[in-house]
Amino acid sequence: MNSISTPTRTRVTMNDVADLAGVSKASVSRFIGEDRQLLSESIARRIEQAIDTLGYRPNQMARGLKRGRTRLIGMLVADIRNPYSIAVMHGVETACRKHGYSLVVCNTDRDHEQERLHLQALRSYNIEGLIVNTLGHHLGELRELHSELPMVLVDRKVDELESDLVGLDNVATVAQALDHLQQAGYRDILMVTEPQDGTSSRVERVDAFSANLANRPDMRGQVCETGETLHSALRTFLDQHGHGPKALFTGNGIATLSTTRLLHELGCHLFDDIGLIALDELDWYPLVGSGITSLAQPTHDIGVTAFECLLSRLRGDPEPVRVYDFPAQLIVRGSTRRRRS
Amino acid sequence: MNSISTPTRTRVTMNDVADLAGVSKASVSRFIGEDRQLLSESIARRIEQAIDTLGYRPNQMARGLKRGRTRLIGMLVADIRNPYSIAVMHGVETACRKHGYSLVVCNTDRDHEQERLHLQALRSYNIEGLIVNTLGHHLGELRELHSELPMVLVDRKVDELESDLVGLDNVATVAQALDHLQQAGYRDILMVTEPQDGTSSRVERVDAFSANLANRPDMRGQVCETGETLHSALRTFLDQHGHGPKALFTGNGIATLSTTRLLHELGCHLFDDIGLIALDELDWYPLVGSGITSLAQPTHDIGVTAFECLLSRLRGDPEPVRVYDFPAQLIVRGSTRRRRS
DNA sequence: CTGTTAGCGCGTTCAT
DNA sequence: ATGAACGCGCTAACAG
């Protein structure tokens, strides 16, 4: 048995197979490629035999070098610890596997410099396509890449980058949220968003919030951000009077977590003192207080669609840029079942 | 501007750079490699110039083909939606990035056949090392791979595979849990585990639980599994009498989620009716009832260590197989602050 | 210091 | 139906 520390055995190559089978490399190549039907029965059998006595596996990198197909897809993620990103990634990975692709995951931790490094790395791996879920600064690098391979944006638009986009229908979803809140009797709404920072989905949600409320004269809306100021913003909101029952609308999972934590610390009785509807569904929402009402994104489908979109481009789909807007699904829990007062 | 759908521009190659700079490929190779100091000032400048007017990036695959170094690490994960796996992956990814490696993530969704397919794919990509967090059936493929490259197991041992292992010190952690429960006044403990299925960490935790309780005559312990039977097991446990204050001990994040959900459905007043200590820390633990006491694994460190272990092997570390046992950190919350009765 | 040459593992003509 | 020869983009061994 070989030692752990010295994995020294050299990989078995196409030549080894050819030698053992007593044929040429070309025949082996045909066998593992699409041209298997061009081989005689006897030679095919000998090759097959040789392949599995040797445990031969074609080297995808060498193939890629020649044919330009590495069966590798890159995914650039801003925050791998965001449940949304994970869920989408799971969808992407599933689709990849189904079609024989593998996934190179690059997490930037919201750092622009890391994003640049990752983009450079990805370029060097001959990936066939790229899924982008970041702010997309470094337009130069992105364009460079986009001129070489198909790209699809997830959740976040990137200005001046003409690319397919798959994400949530933010306008419709915000409308859904406000419809539900209004119907449940809430009148004074505070939206909590992560700092927008040019993240298109956040901007769209906040804009849709304001625009939509303009058409609901009996409701009032305000917006605040997560971070240092959230604590005082919440406190102020809770102390205000006169605009009717209050509810919070959190713009994504992170915002929901921060907000719920603070409510908890502020000693709110969740959710009798105040309503809450959250964009994004997390598995612990049923467990907090009387349960958190949410608008679930079809994250798995979003991931699958992103990959399939890429695949279609790889196969030469010449259509102009497409936008996939998915709807959200409302899940009603205790946080919007207003107590009769 | 080129059309979205036809990313046709061929990649700029080392030859292009050499031509533009009026030098040989070898010089360009030296420039981008370790041998830059062997170049004259003037030629280096010309190459540099050519590189960034052309936007040249070396093709890592071609380099890998020649040198055997692809700067690619594979990670095989059983369940990408498990928060533990994500957290470890984040650590791995961070360490990868720091050392110029990229990560190919393979999720098996607990499916043996998918595991096999992924292993085959990974072999074809000339990855330099492999991090394994699955059951590791398909011993054959694993051994094959292990004979070609360094491997490190995370959290789960694989029988008959001699490989470095990084994970939690399960025995010490279980002791910590029981110490805490005992000290907090609990006497009747039900451990909830996911089905063991030969997963070493689960087996170790359950075994440690039983063994440890054997030395605590005033305490009683039982074990049950998540799934269909959990509901009735919990109900039975709650209805039992005579062995003193009751607490649950959940063996990982998934078990905690299932258990808490059921307690919620059963109408328990969390956590006055029953204590709870959870192995693994999740971000929503503070929010449920009076908060869930947990034993946090140093997941980030585990991931980083896994990668660094690999790296050390890649650099020729000849030491025998190592096992890294990390300690857990106790975080006390309301779920083990027993109400005076 | 620099260029020439020969592969790395494989796909693809082009003959045969 | 099969094999020989060349090249993918790059590194390494050898000259000079």
Side-chain angles (χ1 to χ4, degrees), chain A residues 16-277:
Chain A
D16 304 334
V17 177
D19 288 353
L20 181 59
V23 298
S24 74
K25 295 191 308 181
S27 296
V28 180
S29 173
R30 288 177 184 119
F31 184 86
I32 64 176
E34 326 284 271
D35 307 323
R36 194 174 314 191
Q37 72 275 3
L38 299 186
L39 292 179
S40 72
E41 191 57 37
S42 76
I43 245 188
R45 273 212 333 275
R46 275 153 58 201
I47 293 180
E48 184 159 21
Q49 180 101 26
I51 284 186
D52 52 53
T53 69
L54 259 44
Y56 168 71
R57 291 253 83 210
N59 183 329
Q60 196 63 253
M61 289 312 145
R63 307 183 83 178
L65 199 54
K66 188 65 183 169
R67 297 204 305 178
R69 301 190 55 187
T70 53
R71 297 279 173 184
L72 231 37
I73 290 289
M75 182 165 180
L76 195 61
V77 182
D79 180 4
I80 208 183
R81 285 178 296 191
N82 184 325
Y84 170 84
S85 301
I86 293 300
V88 171
M89 192 172 119
H90 182 255
V92 171
E93 219 270 351
T94 304
C96 276
R97 213 184 325 151
K98 178 174 163 194
H99 294 277
Y101 280 77
S102 291
L103 190 62
V104 181
V105 173
C106 297
N107 175 41
T108 67
D109 270 339
R110 308 173 179 197
D111 181 317
H112 292 189
E113 180 57 12
Q114 297 303 336
E115 177 176 330
R116 206 175 55 75
L117 292 176
H118 273 312
L119 282 171
Q120 294 192 353
L122 284 171
R123 260 193 85 191
S124 76
Y125 285 121
N126 281 16
I127 56 171
E128 292 184 39
L130 180 60
I131 295 173
V132 178
N133 177 33
T134 64
L135 281 181
H137 296 201
H138 309 293
L139 237 196
E141 314 269 358
L142 279 172
R143 282 208 155 120
E144 195 90 34
L145 265 167
H146 197 331
S147 72
E148 296 169 355
L149 48 79
M151 259 176 56
V152 50
L153 304 176
V154 170
D155 189 65
R156 304 166 172 208
K157 279 186 194 125
V158 173
D159 277 347
E160 309 184 43
L161 193 69
E162 285 192 28
S163 179
D164 294 334
L165 171 67
V166 30
L168 190 70
D169 184 335
N170 289 306
V171 171
T173 303
V174 167
Q176 235 177 317
L178 291 175
D179 280 347
H180 177 68
L181 288 177
Q182 184 165 30
Q183 214 170 315
Y186 297 98
R187 292 295 175 266
D188 194 4
I189 319 297
L190 176 65
M191 173 169 187
V192 182
T193 178
E194 286 196 276
Q196 302 184 254
D197 287 341
T199 305
S200 70
S201 48
R202 295 179 194 159
V203 173
E204 285 180 11
R205 288 168 196 177
V206 169
D207 289 353
F209 179 76
S210 307
N212 192 300
L213 276 175
N215 298 323
R216 305 181 195 250
D218 57 335
M219 294 181 79
R220 187 177 78 157
Q222 306 165 66
V223 177
C224 76
E225 291 187 350
T226 57
E228 297 301 320
T229 60
L230 182 56
H231 185 273
S232 63
L234 279 181
R235 179 170 279 294
T236 304
F237 181 68
L238 288 166
D239 291 345
Q240 286 172 353
H241 285 294
H243 281 272
K246 291 170 189 163
L248 299 167
F249 172 35
T250 51
N252 70 11
I254 310 282
T256 309
L257 182 62
S258 313
T259 302
T260 316
R261 275 193 170 153
L262 281 177
L263 289 179
H264 202 261
E265 287 173 19
L266 288 170
C268 281
H269 194 203
L270 304 176
F271 292 91
D272 298 336
D273 302 343
I274 189 168
L276 172 62
I277 185 167

Side-chain angles (χ1 to χ4, degrees), chain B residues 297-316:
Chain B
Q297 295 199 48
T299 45
H300 191 268
D301 289 350
I302 288 176
V304 170
T305 302
F307 177 81
E308 285 177 348
C309 180
L310 225 46
L311 199 58
S312 131
R313 294 301 186 188
L314 282 171
R315 292 180 175 159

Side-chain angles (χ1 to χ4, degrees), chain A residues 1-2 4-5 7-9 11-12 54-55 57-62 65 70-72 80-81 86 89-90 93-94 97 102-109 114 118 120-121 123-126 143-144 146-150 162-163 257 260-261 264 283-284 286-289 313 317-319 321, chain B residues 1-2 4-5 7-9 11-12 54-55 57-62 65 70-72 80-81 86 89-90 93-94 97 102-109 114 118 120-121 123-126 143-144 146-150 162-163 257 260-261 264 283-284 286-289 313 317-319 321:
Chain A
M1 185 97 281
N2 61 314
I4 290 308
S5 48
T8 173
R9 203 184 64 194
R11 288 197 44 168
V12 32
L54 259 44
R57 291 253 83 210
N59 183 329
Q60 196 63 253
M61 289 312 145
L65 199 54
T70 53
R71 297 279 173 184
L72 231 37
I80 208 183
R81 285 178 296 191
I86 293 300
M89 192 172 119
H90 182 255
E93 219 270 351
T94 304
R97 213 184 325 151
S102 291
L103 190 62
V104 181
V105 173
C106 297
N107 175 41
T108 67
D109 270 339
Q114 297 303 336
H118 273 312
Q120 294 192 353
R123 260 193 85 191
S124 76
Y125 285 121
N126 281 16
R143 282 208 155 120
E144 195 90 34
H146 197 331
S147 72
E148 296 169 355
L149 48 79
E162 285 192 28
S163 179
L257 182 62
T260 316
R261 275 193 170 153
H264 202 261
D283 49 19
W284 49 270
L287 301 176
V288 177
R313 294 301 188 187
D317 176 352
E319 295 297 309
V321 173
Chain B
M1 183 98 280
N2 62 312
I4 291 311
S5 47
T8 172
R9 204 183 67 193
R11 288 197 45 167
V12 32
L54 259 44
R57 290 254 84 209
N59 183 328
Q60 196 64 249
M61 290 313 151
L65 197 55
T70 54
R71 297 278 176 186
L72 230 37
I80 209 184
R81 285 176 295 189
I86 292 298
M89 191 172 120
H90 182 253
E93 218 270 354
T94 305
R97 214 182 326 151
S102 291
L103 189 63
V104 180
V105 173
C106 296
N107 175 43
T108 68
D109 269 339
Q114 297 303 335
H118 273 313
Q120 293 192 352
R123 260 192 85 192
S124 76
Y125 285 121
N126 280 18
R143 281 207 156 118
E144 194 91 31
H146 196 333
S147 74
E148 296 168 355
L149 48 80
E162 285 192 30
S163 179
L257 183 61
T260 316
R261 276 195 169 152
H264 202 261
D283 49 19
W284 50 269
L287 301 176
V288 177
R313 294 301 186 188
D317 176 352
E319 295 297 310
V321 173

Side-chain angles (χ1 to χ4, degrees), chain B residues 3 12 16 52 83 102 132 144 174 183 224 229 231 239 248 311 328 340:
Chain B
S3 159
V12 32
D16 303 333
D52 48 54
S102 291
V132 178
E144 194 91 31
V174 167
Q183 214 169 317
C224 75
T229 60
H231 184 274
D239 291 345
L248 300 167
L311 199 58
R340 304 279 162 221

Side-chain angles (χ1 to χ4, degrees), chain B residues 327-341:
Chain B
Q329 185 199 345
L330 178 66
I331 301 174
V332 180
R333 299 201 176 90
S335 70
T336 53
R337 294 207 193 92
R338 198 162 67 82
R339 273 198 5 201
R340 304 279 162 221
S341 50

